[in-house]
Amino acid sequence: MTDTNALRERGLRVTAPRLAVLEAVGRVPHATADRVLTEVRRALPTVSVQAVYDVLHALTDVGMLRRIEPAGHAARYERRVADNHHHVVCRGCGALDDVDCAVGPSPCLTPSSTSGFTIDTAEVTYWGLCPACQSAPDTHTTRDQPVAPDAA
Amino acid sequence: MTDTNALRERGLRVTAPRLAVLEAVGRVPHATADRVLTEVRRALPTVSVQAVYDVLHALTDVGMLRRIEPAGHAARYERRVADNHHHVVCRGCGALDDVDCAVGPSPCLTPSSTSGFTIDTAEVTYWGLCPACQSAPDTHTTRDQPVAPDAA
DNA sequence: CCCGATTCTTGAACGATTCCAGATTGGTGT
DNA sequence: ACACCAATCTGGAATCGTTCAAGAATCGGG
């Protein structure tokens, strides 16, 4: 299945920015909007900030991308794989990685009392320290030279 | 245990803004910083935005408050009770409520592979619709109640 | 190949939060 | 009680990520 066909199937027009965004998110695991912009501009130097946001929204809406929004950090995007995995976020540098849930397909999905809410999703986020921040306890104050695994 | 004593025990100074913030957060279940500011100003009209943020941070740091940051919404604060409960967030209006985890003390707390991360917390957020938004699917734009503006 | 709807560009605005510098205050030691 | 000094507060401006607005460009069915 090509990206072109995938777009058509969902009733979306096939445009250069959209293909480029899909390619970029596929290549850079958990890219921020800003990172996507940078990547896309290597191929299409003129794409606007707005175009990237529009495309990310459009693709997220039709389920071709998944958006992750760790508290206190910019949103990240990943190509949606059908599985229901979760994420770890580093408290030090914000690095993000995938985590498969150890216990069954959907644990925690059935809260005891929901106060009348209709629940459609349960989202699990793990917080901790990435390997780099474990060995360099206070280095995260240096915002300019992040040791973050996916920052470079 | 008075708030005054609780503050002293943690080595924090006892100031009017701090007591007022504690009182406000205790009274308004999941208040945003802005809401806390409004509440506090009823008693102390001159407190600054900054003072409220400073106090919220200080109290959060020593564990007297817990901060909740639902994706796409302003942070909320609650008086910490020792239990480990989770939260439901309404996709329609951003309403937030407490949820007790149905399955045991800490399910999902042991992910299979953590990519070398040291995990200290597992956070669970449920997403769905609150009772009001279930019966009024698209009406939340016309509501006067200043709940969080939503991207939906 | 033409047209209308969708998508893109540019540029400015936005809300939540933080940074800054200086004035004020709490509470420990005397 | 008194003074002192660091912790705290005030006011205002700045920051980040994201969105709004209006017009120009593009996609793709007929």
Side-chain angles (χ1 to χ4, degrees):
Chain A
M1 166 76 73
T2 64
D3 288 342
T4 297
N5 287 339
L7 286 167
R8 289 227 170 88
E9 274 184 6
R10 290 156 217 258
L12 292 182
R13 286 190 183 175
V14 180
T15 67
R18 288 180 172 177
L19 293 173
V21 165
L22 280 170
E23 187 275 333
V25 177
R27 184 155 41 77
V28 181
H30 299 102
T32 59
D34 190 63
R35 183 69 198 283
V36 171
L37 178 65
T38 303
E39 291 300 316
V40 166
R41 278 187 173 163
R42 306 223 302 227
L44 306 168
T46 68
V47 281
S48 63
V49 174
Q50 193 54 31
V52 167
Y53 277 101
D54 282 351
V55 170
L56 288 173
H57 279 156
L59 298 181
T60 300
D61 286 347
V62 298
M64 292 182 70
L65 292 181
R66 182 171 164 193
R67 178 202 312 233
I68 312 151
E69 292 185 64
H73 295 278
R76 315 272 195 125
Y77 296 84
E78 67 184 354
R79 296 206 70 159
R80 200 266 272 289
V81 273
D83 69 358
N84 177 30
H85 64 90
H86 305 305
H87 297 99
V88 224
V89 185
C90 176
R91 292 193 190 276
C93 65
L96 192 149
D97 216 323
D98 292 325
V99 165
D100 295 312
C101 200
V103 271
S106 56
C108 287
L109 266 174
T110 46
S112 52
S113 85
T114 62
S115 314
F117 280 63
T118 300
I119 293 179
D120 64 65
T121 311
E123 168 189 317
V124 182
T125 305
Y126 300 96
W127 294 86
L129 287 178
C130 70
C133 287
Q134 287 172 47
S135 43
D138 284 327
T139 321
H140 62 277
T141 45
T142 310
R143 286 280 182 74
D144 298 325
Q145 193 81 7
V147 201
D150 83 348
Chain B
M1 166 73 74
T2 65
D3 288 342
T4 297
N5 286 339
L7 286 168
R8 289 227 171 87
E9 274 184 5
R10 291 156 216 260
L12 291 183
R13 286 190 183 172
V14 179
T15 67
R18 289 183 171 175
L19 292 174
V21 165
L22 280 171
E23 186 276 333
V25 177
R27 183 156 41 78
V28 182
H30 299 102
T32 60
D34 190 62
R35 183 69 198 283
V36 171
L37 178 65
T38 302
E39 291 300 317
V40 166
R41 278 187 173 163
R42 307 224 300 229
L44 305 169
T46 67
V47 281
S48 63
V49 173
Q50 193 52 35
V52 167
Y53 276 102
D54 283 351
V55 169
L56 288 173
H57 279 156
L59 299 182
T60 301
D61 287 347
V62 299
M64 292 181 70
L65 292 182
R66 182 169 164 193
R67 178 201 315 233
I68 312 151
E69 291 185 63
H73 296 279
R76 315 271 195 126
Y77 296 85
E78 66 184 355
R79 297 206 70 159
R80 198 265 274 290
V81 273
D83 69 357
N84 178 30
H85 64 91
H86 304 305
H87 297 99
V88 225
V89 185
C90 176
R91 292 194 191 277
C93 65
L96 192 147
D97 216 322
D98 291 326
V99 165
D100 296 311
C101 200
V103 272
S106 56
C108 285
L109 267 173
T110 46
S112 52
S113 83
T114 61
S115 313
F117 280 62
T118 299
I119 294 178
D120 64 66
T121 311
E123 168 189 320
V124 182
T125 304
Y126 301 95
W127 294 89
L129 286 178
C130 70
C133 288
Q134 285 173 49
S135 43
D138 283 323
T139 322
H140 61 276
T141 45
T142 57
R143 294 236 182 92
D144 45 353
Q145 194 66 26
V147 280
D150 196 312

